[in-house]
Amino acid sequence: MSLSEEKLRKLILSSPQRGVLEEAQKHENRLALHTETEVRKNGSNPAYNDFLNWVAGYLPKDKFERFCQLLKNPIATLGISNEIFTELSRVFDGQNSFFNYEFKSTDLEDDFNTYLKKVLEDRSFFKNKGFEQLKSGINSVLIVDLPREPTSERLEPVYYFINSSSVRHVKVNHKGGIDAIIFELKEDTYGVYNDESYRIYSDTDGTIELVFESEHSLGYCPATFFWDKDMKKDNLILKKSPITDWLNQFDRYLAQDTFKEHADLYSSYPIVVSMAEKCDFENCQNGYIDESYDFYNNDLEEMQTRSRQIKCESCESRKLVGAGTNYMYTAPQTADSPDLSDPVKIISADIKPLEYLGEKLDHIASEIKSGVIGTSTKAINDQAINELQVLGSFESRRNVLINLKESFEKVHKFANDTVALLRYGDSFVGSTVNYGDEFYLKNVAVLQEEYKVAKENGEPDEEIDSIYRQIIQTKYRGNKDKIKRAWTLYNLNPMPHNTLDESKELASIGAVSEEDFIIKARFTNFIARFEREQTNIITFGENLEFKTRIDKIYSQLKKYANESKQVRPSQEQPT
């Protein structure tokens, strides 16, 4: 795509895709409104004002002003979106994930794996920055770039995301891939990348000038859309987020939550109805007193007198002791007009509207979560629902994650393959990027109950092991060191599923050795001693295979147990 200066200028300043790209930005603004924390009342997000304009369209002016006063940041819908995206983040926790990169030389394979891990921090990039794009940058583009000035013998490609507001023009093929892209790198500097080269242009006082050019041999443009789910069949630029279909419901929830704040506000205070007492304070009229005061009129150059109303001190002293509204009505003036009502009445708020608003909010929240993640998170862990419902909810949630992981795998593989081709050329053969399809979807409480039942029912150790591993993975989710330590301790414990009393009984009938029983009984002390004398069990023999590490550590625990056996008889001898 060799462009003239004039054509390039037109694409930058007035791209025919400008309307679509602006629509993409508006879409992302709406996503950000409900997914990004904003503590300022009037943030920079235009979607905030759009939401207020929507509410202003059906509320009277005074009610809208109260609405704006009660709408607080961070907004209420963040609780729903956080819960949803916490569930969706399980896509990175597949237990059978598999990443493999094939080269013509194993040395190149080792070099590439090191480069991914140490330089690009590949897994972390997609788990963190990639997941942020899923929240509010769904129309963003992944760019695989080259340094302007190489610093080593091998090229050192990097990748990053650009948001839709940086894109000036993008040429999309019939498969949805990018053939060429023009985007803003920084102010007055633009990247023009295609299937042949990287070009960078500067705009100096209206003059477009080429400042950098580097050809590549990829055969395709080193850019791809982050997401592969199109919002419309006839538009390959606008992408559909997992929560796009539910944005109107998010808006409804936010409005309803603010209405409930208003209802809670006035319902918290009672209305006290009482007869008006006649005030005997001099010149008091309905709680106010006319007061005269003198002032100097500069225009007339003379003293003049004016009057003003001030609150009556006597009436002010008769206000409610606490919060609330006091409505006073005129007492009967003659014997012919008796008032048979109580002289003082307290009117409490009707709780039915409050209950309705609360139930309405719960319904909207549940509807959104069920629609996005497959089921309500409350139902997921509810012990009262039947087994078929549980199986159905887990299958539904798993299907959502499978759909999600396929999109992540696609952009992840594009990034890895492009980096490998730029760095190693035809020495790179191919790759496999698989996030796995086994996800632990139950919470710790449910898993612990399953573990308890499995032990009581005498299930095979393999089944109990599987549940216990799920407990570890779920309890310490996101903390690899904790998971590694817990799993190592589990494998070092000679009887991990037995209590000390159960282990003692097994030892008494010779079902386990005395050494194993001593290790079980003093397990915590022995592990602490090992770590004092050697090193942390996680780092011990970290280059060894897992089984070899366990065997070596357990061998040392056996020595501690034998020492304990030798000490015990001498301690039992009378002194």
Side-chain angles (χ1 to χ4, degrees), residues 494-495 503-504 506-520 554 558 561-562 565:
M495 289 162 279
S503 302
K504 187 175 183 179
L506 291 173
S508 67
I509 60 174
V512 296
S513 68
E514 184 179 4
E515 286 178 339
D516 285 345
F517 174 72
I518 293 174
I519 292 173
K520 171 71 176 180
Y554 200 75
K558 281 188 172 182
N562 286 324
K565 287 166 57 178

Short mmCIF file of all heavy atoms in Angstrom, two decimals, residues 494-495 503-504 506-520 554 558 561-562 565:
data_model
loop_
_atom_site.label_atom_id
_atom_site.label_comp_id
_atom_site.label_asym_id
_atom_site.label_seq_id
_atom_site.Cartn_x
_atom_site.Cartn_y
_atom_site.Cartn_z
N PRO A 494 2.38 -38.19 54.26
CA PRO A 494 2.17 -39.62 53.97
C PRO A 494 0.71 -40.05 54.01
O PRO A 494 0.32 -41.00 53.35
CB PRO A 494 2.99 -40.33 55.05
CG PRO A 494 3.11 -39.32 56.15
CD PRO A 494 3.15 -37.99 55.49
N MET A 495 -0.10 -39.33 54.79
CA MET A 495 -1.53 -39.66 54.87
C MET A 495 -2.32 -38.35 54.85
O MET A 495 -2.89 -37.93 55.87
CB MET A 495 -1.82 -40.45 56.15
CG MET A 495 -1.29 -41.88 56.11
SD MET A 495 -1.15 -42.63 57.75
CE MET A 495 0.42 -41.93 58.31
N SER A 503 -4.70 -42.00 61.51
CA SER A 503 -3.35 -42.45 61.17
C SER A 503 -2.78 -43.35 62.27
O SER A 503 -2.09 -44.35 62.00
CB SER A 503 -2.42 -41.25 60.94
OG SER A 503 -2.91 -40.42 59.92
N LYS A 504 -3.08 -42.99 63.52
CA LYS A 504 -2.60 -43.78 64.66
C LYS A 504 -3.20 -45.18 64.62
O LYS A 504 -2.51 -46.18 64.90
CB LYS A 504 -2.96 -43.08 65.96
CG LYS A 504 -2.37 -43.71 67.20
CD LYS A 504 -2.68 -42.87 68.43
CE LYS A 504 -2.02 -43.46 69.67
NZ LYS A 504 -2.31 -42.63 70.87
N LEU A 506 -4.21 -46.78 61.95
CA LEU A 506 -3.57 -47.50 60.85
C LEU A 506 -2.19 -48.01 61.26
O LEU A 506 -1.79 -49.13 60.90
CB LEU A 506 -3.45 -46.59 59.62
CG LEU A 506 -4.75 -46.22 58.91
CD1 LEU A 506 -4.49 -45.17 57.83
CD2 LEU A 506 -5.40 -47.46 58.30
N ALA A 507 -1.47 -47.20 62.02
CA ALA A 507 -0.14 -47.61 62.48
C ALA A 507 -0.22 -48.78 63.46
O ALA A 507 0.64 -49.67 63.46
CB ALA A 507 0.57 -46.43 63.13
N SER A 508 -1.27 -48.79 64.27
CA SER A 508 -1.42 -49.84 65.30
C SER A 508 -1.66 -51.22 64.69
O SER A 508 -1.34 -52.24 65.28
CB SER A 508 -2.56 -49.49 66.25
OG SER A 508 -3.80 -49.53 65.58
N ILE A 509 -2.22 -51.25 63.48
CA ILE A 509 -2.47 -52.54 62.82
C ILE A 509 -1.44 -52.83 61.74
O ILE A 509 -1.58 -53.78 60.96
CB ILE A 509 -3.89 -52.59 62.22
CG1 ILE A 509 -4.06 -51.49 61.16
CG2 ILE A 509 -4.96 -52.45 63.30
CD1 ILE A 509 -5.39 -51.56 60.41
N GLY A 510 -0.40 -51.98 61.70
CA GLY A 510 0.69 -52.21 60.76
C GLY A 510 0.39 -51.80 59.33
O GLY A 510 1.10 -52.20 58.40
N ALA A 511 -0.67 -51.00 59.13
CA ALA A 511 -1.04 -50.59 57.77
C ALA A 511 -0.10 -49.52 57.23
O ALA A 511 0.02 -49.35 56.01
CB ALA A 511 -2.48 -50.07 57.75
N VAL A 512 0.56 -48.80 58.15
CA VAL A 512 1.57 -47.83 57.74
C VAL A 512 2.80 -48.01 58.62
O VAL A 512 2.69 -48.52 59.75
CB VAL A 512 1.06 -46.37 57.87
CG1 VAL A 512 -0.10 -46.12 56.92
CG2 VAL A 512 0.67 -46.03 59.30
N SER A 513 3.95 -47.60 58.14
CA SER A 513 5.18 -47.78 58.90
C SER A 513 5.25 -46.78 60.05
O SER A 513 4.56 -45.74 60.05
CB SER A 513 6.39 -47.60 57.99
OG SER A 513 6.49 -46.24 57.58
N GLU A 514 6.09 -47.10 61.01
CA GLU A 514 6.26 -46.20 62.15
C GLU A 514 6.86 -44.87 61.68
O GLU A 514 6.49 -43.81 62.18
CB GLU A 514 7.17 -46.85 63.20
CG GLU A 514 7.31 -46.00 64.47
CD GLU A 514 8.19 -46.66 65.51
OE1 GLU A 514 8.76 -47.74 65.22
OE2 GLU A 514 8.33 -46.10 66.62
N GLU A 515 7.77 -44.94 60.72
CA GLU A 515 8.38 -43.71 60.19
C GLU A 515 7.31 -42.79 59.61
O GLU A 515 7.29 -41.58 59.86
CB GLU A 515 9.41 -44.05 59.10
CG GLU A 515 10.69 -44.64 59.63
CD GLU A 515 11.63 -45.00 58.49
OE1 GLU A 515 11.13 -45.15 57.35
OE2 GLU A 515 12.84 -45.12 58.73
N ASP A 516 6.42 -43.37 58.78
CA ASP A 516 5.37 -42.56 58.15
C ASP A 516 4.45 -41.93 59.19
O ASP A 516 4.02 -40.78 59.05
CB ASP A 516 4.56 -43.41 57.17
CG ASP A 516 5.32 -43.70 55.88
OD1 ASP A 516 6.33 -43.01 55.64
OD2 ASP A 516 4.90 -44.59 55.12
N PHE A 517 4.16 -42.70 60.24
CA PHE A 517 3.29 -42.16 61.28
C PHE A 517 3.96 -40.99 62.01
O PHE A 517 3.32 -39.98 62.31
CB PHE A 517 2.88 -43.24 62.27
CG PHE A 517 2.10 -42.69 63.44
CD1 PHE A 517 0.80 -42.24 63.28
CD2 PHE A 517 2.69 -42.59 64.70
CE1 PHE A 517 0.09 -41.70 64.34
CE2 PHE A 517 1.99 -42.05 65.77
CZ PHE A 517 0.69 -41.61 65.59
N ILE A 518 5.24 -41.14 62.31
CA ILE A 518 5.96 -40.06 63.00
C ILE A 518 5.99 -38.81 62.12
O ILE A 518 5.80 -37.68 62.60
CB ILE A 518 7.39 -40.52 63.36
CG1 ILE A 518 7.34 -41.62 64.42
CG2 ILE A 518 8.21 -39.33 63.88
CD1 ILE A 518 8.70 -42.24 64.74
N ILE A 519 6.24 -39.00 60.81
CA ILE A 519 6.23 -37.85 59.88
C ILE A 519 4.85 -37.19 59.88
O ILE A 519 4.74 -35.96 59.89
CB ILE A 519 6.63 -38.30 58.46
CG1 ILE A 519 8.10 -38.73 58.44
CG2 ILE A 519 6.40 -37.17 57.45
CD1 ILE A 519 8.54 -39.35 57.12
N LYS A 520 3.80 -38.02 59.87
CA LYS A 520 2.43 -37.48 59.91
C LYS A 520 2.20 -36.69 61.19
O LYS A 520 1.65 -35.57 61.15
CB LYS A 520 1.42 -38.63 59.79
CG LYS A 520 -0.03 -38.23 60.02
CD LYS A 520 -0.58 -37.39 58.89
CE LYS A 520 -2.05 -37.08 59.09
NZ LYS A 520 -2.61 -36.26 57.99
N TYR A 554 11.42 -36.05 51.07
CA TYR A 554 10.85 -37.06 51.95
C TYR A 554 11.94 -37.92 52.59
O TYR A 554 11.82 -38.37 53.73
CB TYR A 554 9.86 -37.94 51.19
CG TYR A 554 8.91 -38.67 52.11
CD1 TYR A 554 7.86 -37.99 52.72
CD2 TYR A 554 9.08 -40.02 52.40
CE1 TYR A 554 6.99 -38.64 53.58
CE2 TYR A 554 8.22 -40.69 53.25
CZ TYR A 554 7.18 -40.00 53.84
OH TYR A 554 6.33 -40.63 54.71
N LYS A 558 12.38 -38.62 56.57
CA LYS A 558 12.56 -39.95 57.19
C LYS A 558 13.73 -39.94 58.16
O LYS A 558 13.68 -40.59 59.22
CB LYS A 558 12.79 -41.01 56.10
CG LYS A 558 11.52 -41.48 55.41
CD LYS A 558 11.82 -42.65 54.49
CE LYS A 558 10.54 -43.26 53.95
NZ LYS A 558 10.81 -44.45 53.10
N ALA A 561 12.55 -38.54 61.29
CA ALA A 561 11.70 -39.51 62.00
C ALA A 561 12.55 -40.55 62.72
O ALA A 561 12.27 -40.92 63.87
CB ALA A 561 10.75 -40.19 61.02
N ASN A 562 13.60 -41.03 62.08
CA ASN A 562 14.49 -42.02 62.71
C ASN A 562 15.23 -41.42 63.90
O ASN A 562 15.44 -42.09 64.92
CB ASN A 562 15.50 -42.55 61.68
CG ASN A 562 14.85 -43.50 60.69
OD1 ASN A 562 13.95 -44.26 61.06
ND2 ASN A 562 15.27 -43.46 59.43
N LYS A 565 12.87 -41.51 66.70
CA LYS A 565 12.73 -42.85 67.25
C LYS A 565 13.88 -43.17 68.20
O LYS A 565 13.70 -43.83 69.23
CB LYS A 565 12.70 -43.89 66.12
CG LYS A 565 11.41 -43.89 65.32
CD LYS A 565 11.54 -44.66 64.02
CE LYS A 565 11.98 -46.09 64.25
NZ LYS A 565 12.06 -46.84 62.96
#
